[in-house]
Amino acid sequence: MAKIVLTADRTLMSPYRGISLATFFGCAPAVDPHRPKNSFWYYILKDQVTPKVLFDFICNPIGHKNGIANYAPYGLRKVEAALLRDGYKRNEVVVAHPDHVDKFIGPETEVVGTYEMDPLGMGPVTMTFTYGRKQTSYDEFYNRDLHMKINAAKKKNGSHAKVIAGASGTWQYNYDPKKIQEYGLYAVLEGELGGIAPEIDGHAGEFFNKLIAGDFENMNPFVKSDFKVEVKEFGKDENKFHGRFIHYWDEPDVESIPNIVEPSMHGMVEVMRGCGRGCKFCDVTLRPLRYYSPEKVKQEIEVNIKKGGQRNAWLHSDDIFVYGLDPRKTKNMAPNRDALEELFKAVMSCGIEHTNPTHGTLAGAIADEKLLPNLSKIIKSGPNNKTGVQCGFETGSLRLIGKYADRKLAPYKPEEWHWVVKEGVKTLNENHWIPAFTLIMGLDNAETEEDGWDTIRLINELELEQPESQFTVTPLTFVPIGLLEKSEFFDIGNELTAPQLGVMYKTWQHNFKYGIQKFMDKTGSNNTLKKKAFTGLARTLGGVPLTAMEKYARRKGPEHERVIETIKAKYW
């Protein structure tokens, strides 16, 4: 038994068999509660959409030692490290494997903290795959499963532990508050600005001390404190209930952020916080820019090597190409090449085999013509060692990019967006980097039909002008976060226009024809057998979504069918 138990659900506690792209599989639909019981698929799969046996095979569980997780999400490791730094003993803090969480919850347990990224399936990718939560994703399925296990363990073992949900997905409880009651949450931890995740690792000890002492029961809102408690009322009459939200906002300097002391999932380490690009649809822009020193990054990688046996480093940033610069002084956002080279040399000096940053902007990638060639040489990128990076494609509409993300293009202008995209793909590919693009459907619910066609045409132009190009494109539904948090969700289940269906169809056609067939098994770690097995499975099933969208178009009517036929005829 432990005083503080930290854990996360299965979708966040899986190595996904070493396939980096498979980490998005948790967004896949698990259950369709509306499937007709007299249908063929109900006879075969009941209410399952993505067969659970397939999901559980790909989303394989991590190892453990007597129930203690061998690896954990990076953010959870930060909280663990902060608690140990702030006075809690090693035997008082446990990071539990989700299948064995019951072993650590007993009468002396004070807090069970759950790390949640997409607890209710409202993330942009998930909302797209589940038609706006008309189906239940595996993210939501396994998050509920975890909370049911926690509640069962508390009841069985006589525990009165406070269950608190934290991390970047907790904003979702505001939109489906009944889950607070269903899961028995004592509180939901949120940031103060824009709903973004609080940087609790700067002062974790203080937070858990107050939590255990009961200071959040009746906190005086007029007394100055780093924490603010808001009790929200939901429901009406006899169905009325309340949810406690603890708001916290801090900008800890790098010295106040502890290094992880146990291995993180996927070899992830952080190199910076914040972005500085100012896109209105992103909450990261609300955070100030801070950078880890190369030495601090090395120290965390060495933990993953020595304690986790990992040979890759996944460098988390919100835009790797702004590492080391001050956007207040560098108005054109030109990359700091010296700082980036120093960072990647330090990373590779640890003896790892592969590294890649999580996110980067196209403008940053091409703003310095020497940057990518130099970085690629340092990290040994090559034909059989591709470097993947997630980039925001967002939209092919110059109107929308200018209105919502003009600084994303700095040092370029919004009217140059199409050139930036094409040049970015060309430059990245020439240096053996593969961008995994995301775009936003229904941006601020202000997208016109022509905006959709602009996106389709831009993807097609890339294919025609650069036939050997390597990139993927994933459409995401608009979610009201960042500076647009007062807007409404884009309801993909009911508001999908014909061109928006066309965008989904074109992106998947591209991913299947170009991504899965050509280069999926050349990214990530060097475990060729695993990658080829996963690629074979993807090739077998890759055409299913296209067929499903064609059937959907026929159900919707002639306008939607015409869009599909137009894409086949002109943009295939």
Side-chain angles (χ1 to χ4, degrees), residues 476-492:
L476 313 179
T477 59
F478 171 71
V479 170
I481 55 177
L483 296 177
L484 301 178
E485 66 170 346
K486 301 299 183 182
S487 299
E488 298 293 328
F489 279 89
F490 171 65
D491 187 357
I492 187 174

Side-chain angles (χ1 to χ4, degrees), residues 529-543:
L529 183 61
K530 285 182 180 178
K531 287 193 288 187
K532 288 191 179 299
F534 185 78
T535 302
L537 179 65
R539 285 173 177 167
T540 301
L541 301 176

